Amino acid sequence: MASWAVSAVLIAGLTLGSPTEHSAGFTHEAVAADHFEASKAGAEVLAAGGNAADAAAATMLALGVINPASSGLGGGGFALYYCAKDGSLTFLDFRERAPRAADPGMFDGEGERPPGPANAASQLGGLAAGVPGEPAGIQALVDRFGTLPLREVIAPALRLAEEGFAVSEALSKMGEAFDVQLRKDTVMSKWDLRPGAILKRPALARVLRAFAEKGARAIYGGVIGQEMVTSVQAHGGIMTLNDLNAYRVRTRVPLESNAFGYRWVTAPPPSAGGFTMIQSLSILEQAVGEEPEFGAPLLHAMAESWKGPFLDRQRYFGDPDQVILPIEGMLSPSRIQKRAALAGDGKVHPSSDYDLPVEWTGRTATTPDNAGTSHLCVVDAEGNVASVTTTVNLPFGARFTAGGIVMNDEMDDFSRGGGDANAFGLVGGHRNLPGAWKRPVSTMSPTIVLEGGDPALCVGASGGSRIVTATQQVAMNVLLHGMTAGEAVAAPRIHHQGVPGELRTEEVAPLRPELRNALRAFGHRIEPIHNVANVQTIRIERTPEHRLDAASDPRKGGRPAGR
Ligand code: DON
C-alpha cells in the first residue's frame, strides 16, 4: 500500500507540483478551501473564537468574493455539520430552487445547443437562474451552530470586496473562456481578470454590508431583492419577489452507510452524489473484498460500480420534497449483490447490464403550496467539522449580475422533456423536470467519514458529475491506501458515469502506463479529459496531539490554513 502511495505521488507530481505546496499539518484547527485567501478568511474567524460553522460561513463568503466563477450569494449549496458536543450530524440543503412559474416544458426543444460556451436557455440568462439559497444557507449555518455574530463572520469577505484581492490563475482562465459573455454584463465587463490584477467588488460590498446589518432577509427582499428580480426579469427570467421571500433552507437527514470499516455520512437527495458513493462502496466491498489493494482490478471494479447508481439517478431522482424516492429499494441487498457480481467478474459491461428497476409503486407527491462550485472543509479545536459544497453551477453561473451578485444557472441541473443531457452529460428523468419551487438534482457530495464514532475525514469536491467519483477516490486513497491528504488529492483519478461509455482519465495527472494498459486489457475505452474534479480534504488523525492533515487540490491551486 505504501509503495503505491509513493508512486502515485511521483506520477502526479510530474504535472501537479509537489502536494506539499497545497497541503499542511495543523494541531488545533484547519480550513481547506480551493483558494488560499478563503482558507485564511476561515482561519481568521477561528482564531477570533469562532467555531467550524462560523469559519465555514466566512470561507464561503470569501470564496463568493474572490472566485465569482465558482460560487457566491447568487448560488446555493449543501453543508454537512458534525457537532462534537452531541455527536450529531446535520445536513443543511440550501440548494437553489426553481421559480414558482417554472414548468416542466420550459427547456424543451433545446435540442442541439447553440454554439459557444454554455449558451442554452438553461445555462445563460434569466431563465437559467434558480432562486439563490446561499444567503439563507449561510445564515442558517451561523444561527444553528455558530457562536459569532453574523457581522464578524462576514467581515473578512467584506474586507476583500472593499480593499480588493489578486485575481487567481484559476479565475483568470475561466474569465478568458467566458470573456465574450462577461463583456455583456454591466458589472463583470469592468473586471480586469488578468492573473495578479487587483479586483475590488464595491457593488457586492454593499450587499455584504446589508447582509451583516439585517441578515439574509436584506437579500431576499427590500432594495436588493427588488434589484435581483428586476435583473433576472430583464434577462428574460420569471423569478418574482414572492419566490425570493418564500425561499427556505431544508434540514435533512444525511445518507449514510458502513463500508470498509468506516461510517460514511454524506449528502441525501436532492443530491444523487452521496447515493452514488454509498452504493458504489457497498458494491466494491463485495466485488473486491474488504481490504482492496490499489491497482487495475480495483479501478476496473470501481468504474463498473458507478454505472448502476448513475442509471438509478437518471430513472428515480428528483426533489425529495416533491417526488418520493425509493432509496431503500435502490440500496436493497439483492440489488447490490447483483451489481457486485457484475462489477467483480472482470468484464466491462454495458450500462444496460446494470439496469435493475426497483420494484415499487412510485407516486408523485403533491407540490407544496408554500412551498462553477467549490468545496471546503473546516475542523475546529473542539472537534466540530463542516463539510460544505457551494456553487453557481457553470463558471460565472448564468453570466449576469444583480446588484453585484453573480446569478447561478442551476436550472441546467433539471432534466428536459426531450431527454437532452445537461452540461455534465447527465440525462435526467421526468422526476427531475423543472417545476414550481422544485430543487434540481445535484451531484454535490459533502462527506464526513467516521471511525469508531469519531470523524476521521472531511472531504468533498467541485466538478459536476465527477464530484462524487473524485470524492470517493480521495477518501479511499487516505482511508484504505494509507496516503497523506496531500498525496491522496494529488494522485491521478478516473471517472465513469455509465453514459457516455468511456472511462475518463486525467491529462493533468496521468495514470501510470501499466495501469492504463491493464484497464484497456479489461476492455475499457479510455478517454482522457483535463481533470476529474477538484477535491478538498482534512484527515483528522486520532493521535493524542489531534493532528489535522489538510489538503487543497493542486488542480485548482488552493492551499489550507490553520494553526
Ligand atoms: O449541483 C451540481 O451537481 C452541479 N451544479 C455542480 C456544478 C459544478 O460542480 C461545476 N463545476 N465545476
Side-chain angles (χ1 to χ4, degrees):
M1 282 189 197
S3 65
W4 150 249
V6 172
S7 52
V9 170
L10 285 179
I11 293 163
L14 293 177
T15 42
L16 290 177
S18 155
T20 53
E21 278 172 38
H22 304 280
S23 57
F26 304 98
T27 49
H28 290 82
E29 50 207 22
V31 184
D34 62 18
H35 192 300
F36 190 36
E37 287 298 332
S39 298
K40 284 198 295 188
E44 177 183 327
V45 162
L46 286 173
N51 67 6
D54 300 312
T59 309
M60 283 163 79
L61 285 156
L63 282 167
V65 176
I66 59 188
N67 193 353
S70 289
S71 66
L73 291 174
F78 300 136
L80 178 60
Y81 194 74
Y82 172 82
C83 175
K85 222 187 299 169
D86 56 11
S88 62
L89 281 139
T90 307
F91 187 83
L92 296 180
D93 167 355
F94 49 97
R95 179 115 170 118
E96 301 90 327
R97 61 183 199 183
R100 181 154 198 179
D103 73 83
M106 66 189 283
F107 299 121
D108 273 7
E110 277 188 347
E112 282 293 299
R113 295 295 161 79
N119 263 328
S122 58
Q123 301 171 337
L124 177 73
L127 279 181
V131 181
E134 188 99 345
I138 287 171
Q139 170 115 47
L141 193 56
V142 174
D143 284 355
R144 295 223 11 213
F145 301 107
T147 54
L148 294 182
L150 198 55
R151 193 175 19 86
E152 286 182 42
V153 168
I154 292 175
L158 181 57
R159 196 177 61 229
L160 287 162
E162 280 176 337
E163 295 175 11
F165 54 92
V167 170
S168 68
E169 290 278 348
L171 176 59
S172 182
K173 270 199 202 126
M174 284 195 271
E176 224 171 89
F178 291 89
D179 179 55
V180 175
Q181 295 173 345
L182 300 191
R183 264 192 270 143
K184 294 191 178 134
D185 181 76
T186 48
V187 171
M188 293 192 281
S189 57
K190 301 200 179 77
W191 290 352
D192 176 358
L193 292 182
R194 285 171 301 179
I198 299 299
L199 184 61
K200 293 184 186 177
R201 300 192 57 192
L204 186 62
R206 185 195 56 137
V207 175
L208 288 168
R209 271 193 299 271
F211 192 7
E213 262 170 45
K214 298 194 188 124
R217 70 190 164 86
I219 301 170
Y220 290 96
V223 178
I224 296 167
Q226 189 54 59
E227 277 172 1
M228 191 177 283
V229 167
T230 304
S231 176
V232 169
Q233 291 182 359
H235 287 85
I238 49 177
M239 199 184 293
T240 64
L241 212 46
N242 185 37
D243 289 327
L244 285 180
N245 281 324
Y247 183 83
R248 294 290 177 272
V249 174
R250 300 281 284 141
T251 304
R252 302 191 190 279
V253 178
L255 206 57
E256 64 171 274
S257 110
N258 294 312
F260 297 107
Y262 294 94
R263 178 178 166 212
W264 304 71
V265 184
T266 183
S271 174
F275 165 83
T276 305
M277 179 161 60
I278 295 282
Q279 187 174 149
S280 162
L281 289 165
S282 302
I283 290 171
L284 283 177
E285 241 191 346
Q286 291 187 28
V288 297
E290 285 181 16
E291 290 183 17
E293 293 263 333
F294 185 88
L298 175 60
L299 291 179
H300 160 71
M302 210 186 277
E304 292 296 302
S305 76
W306 291 321
K307 293 178 180 174
F310 269 106
L311 274 179
D312 293 341
R313 168 191 188 136
Q314 177 173 341
R315 180 170 286 156
Y316 298 113
F317 271 71
D319 180 349
D321 293 337
Q322 298 201 23
V323 297
I324 294 173
L325 279 87
I327 291 285
E328 252 180 59
M330 286 191 285
L331 292 171
S332 76
S334 67
R335 253 173 135 243
I336 303 276
Q337 213 172 13
K338 281 186 198 143
R339 285 183 173 164
L342 295 173
D345 71 4
K347 295 190 196 122
V348 174
H349 293 272
S351 228
S352 53
D353 283 7
Y354 290 92
D355 195 4
L356 298 175
V358 175
E359 298 206 3
W360 144 88
T361 47
R363 62 189 171 86
T364 303
T366 48
T367 306
D369 261 335
N370 292 313
T373 311
S374 189
H375 182 80
L376 62 105
C377 285
V378 183
V379 180
D380 69 22
E382 287 168 20
N384 300 305
V385 184
S387 187
V388 180
T389 314
T390 166
T391 187
V392 288
N393 194 30
L394 299 177
F396 304 98
R399 271 147 270 123
F400 70 94
T401 55
I405 299 174
V406 175
M407 294 302 294
N408 72 84
D409 69 329
E410 221 66 54
M411 296 293 281
D412 195 53
D413 281 347
F414 281 117
S415 48
R416 290 144 193 75
D420 306 320
N422 76 356
F424 305 107
L426 295 166
V427 179
H430 68 281
R431 305 162 147 265
N432 188 33
L433 285 169
W437 287 350
K438 204 168 173 186
R439 283 157 151 93
V441 172
S442 171
T443 315
M444 294 188 291
S445 324
T447 298
I448 297 174
V449 190
L450 295 95
E451 184 181 15
D454 296 318
L457 192 77
C458 173
V459 62
S462 61
S465 55
R466 301 164 200 152
I467 287 173
V468 56
T469 53
T471 299
Q472 181 181 334
Q473 286 170 88
V474 170
M476 290 175 75
N477 284 347
V478 174
L479 300 173
L480 308 187
H481 307 312
M483 294 188 205
T484 65
E487 290 166 349
V489 166
R493 303 195 271 263
I494 59 164
H495 173 76
H496 206 306
Q497 60 187 60
V499 179
E502 285 79 30
L503 175 66
R504 308 294 192 179
T505 54
E506 297 185 290
E507 281 162 7
V508 292
L511 276 184
R512 278 177 304 184
E514 61 270 30
L515 276 178
R516 238 182 7 244
N517 293 338
L519 285 168
R520 279 210 182 94
F522 273 110
H524 289 284
R525 288 198 311 275
I526 296 183
E527 194 71 54
I529 48 175
H530 181 263
N531 68 304
V532 173
N534 296 288
V535 182
Q536 271 61 244
T537 191
I538 301 178
R539 165 75 156 141
I540 304 140
E541 291 177 10
R542 302 177 71 195
T543 52
E545 62 271 19
H546 181 66
R547 201 181 116 79
L548 302 170
D549 181 15
S552 301
D553 204 321
R555 291 163 186 77
K556 204 164 170 184
R559 215 171 124 185
R563 73 190 167 102

